[in-house]
Amino acid sequence: MAALVAGRVEKTSGRISAKRLLPAARAAGYAGSPRNFRRLVAAAKQAWRREHHRGRRPAVWSPGEHLVIDWGAEGGLHVFCAVLAWCRVRFVRFARDERAETTLALLAECFEVLGGVPGTVLADRMGCLKGGVVANVVVPTAEYVRFAGHYGFRPDFCQAADPESKGIVENLVGYAKSDLIVPQAPFGDLAAANAAAVAWCAEVNGVIHSEICAVPAERLVIERELLGPLPSLRASIGRQVTRKVDRLSCVRFASARYSVPVRLIGETVKLRTDDGRLLVIMTSMGQVVAEHFLVPPGGASVRDEHYGGPRPASPRRAVRPRTAAEKEFCALGPTAEAFITGAAAAGHTRLGPELAELNTLRAAHGEQAFAAALDRAVAFSRWRAADVRSILGAGAGVPGPTAEPGDALVLDLPVVPVRPLADYAIGGLS
């Protein structure tokens, strides 16, 4: 009976259970109890494992060599975890999906937080990064290979059905779930979840790690000197579309408008969506020139800095003189333009015919006096030629308003003698 059990254990590589092997043993003549049979199978499995031990060694990490990454999921959110193996610095972020562009964008953010690029990135056999498997060797996708070439690291993958090879990050996934997600969930939105993740990483990276008996953030300072340098530009991640900047200094995407700097009018740019944002990228240099949050179809996202400043409170209609009288009057400058726009707003329909009279007053009194009278007319909203003539007739001695708009008007009135009301009483009446 022992030979039968040893043969089946050898054939199944020590994975068969006593429950499934007992019927075959009964058919071969075994008449003992199931309990004794379970003991026999357990002894046979132990003997087989002693002869077929995998001989695994503990991992020995070198500074600047390995970054281990993996995905987890909890409470409707996907959590991306990465560990820089030697210093044990942990990086955790949340996302809505585990697509390739999301993974690569978070990996790029991880490199920026670390301040460098490790020599190897060890990942699980993620479907988003795996292009195929040949003879148990994972073939990475072309996009992942381009990303690795841009940052200068070697992509590597764990063995199939081998959790021990990435236990360092598997422990981080479980730790993030139990210490970050469970106590603080549910999060209001993705931004709040990532803000909590940033604070949590700063906390756990600033205390002594039980395995290395050192503070990971302090060891990162040492390891950063051995990391590869970050490239000057981020890699192009995800699907991109090409658009031409229109005369409004905008591009259209998903039936919405997004502004770009006015210097790019007529240029061709690339658009890429990233975690609810739209990135506008220069095709020649690969530089991000504008960044917007996605808006619904028919909407517009306009940044004031793209147009040199904020939009004016009200649209300005330029004064464009056409007739000889208009050109002569507008030659006075901004004061004349302010007079025309103010008169138009007040509904002064006789402004056109009166321009000739105003030009005559200018010639008669001189440009300086006429400009001062026009300024006073604008300040007091007097739009007729007769008003300007009256101001010119009053001369330069008239007082002008000195208070700011909204301040109390204080006038120095002349002092006169005060008489009691009794002086005005009619004789004999009281």
Side-chain angles (χ1 to χ4, degrees), residues 68 70-71 83 124 163-164 166-175:
V68 191
D70 197 11
W71 279 101
V83 182
D124 193 6
E164 292 88 350
K166 60 184 181 68
I168 187 173
V169 75
E170 290 281 4
N171 291 335
L172 174 60
V173 174
Y175 185 31

Side-chain angles (χ1 to χ4, degrees), residues 118-144:
T120 303
V121 174
L122 179 63
D124 193 6
R125 299 194 167 197
M126 302 178 181
C128 59
L129 303 180
K130 180 177 65 176
V133 180
V134 178
N136 202 33
V137 176
V138 178
V139 180
T141 62
E143 184 179 10
Y144 188 33

Side-chain angles (χ1 to χ4, degrees), residues 331-355:
L332 195 61
T335 303
E337 295 182 3
F339 185 86
I340 290 177
T341 55
H348 182 34
T349 58
R350 295 289 301 168
L351 177 61
E354 288 186 353
L355 285 181

Side-chain angles (χ1 to χ4, degrees), residues 259-262 289-292 302-311:
S259 66
V260 299
V262 292
V289 294
E291 181 176 336
H292 297 269
V302 179
R303 305 289 294 270
D304 292 337
E305 58 269 22
H306 295 161
Y307 297 90
R311 181 189 295 272

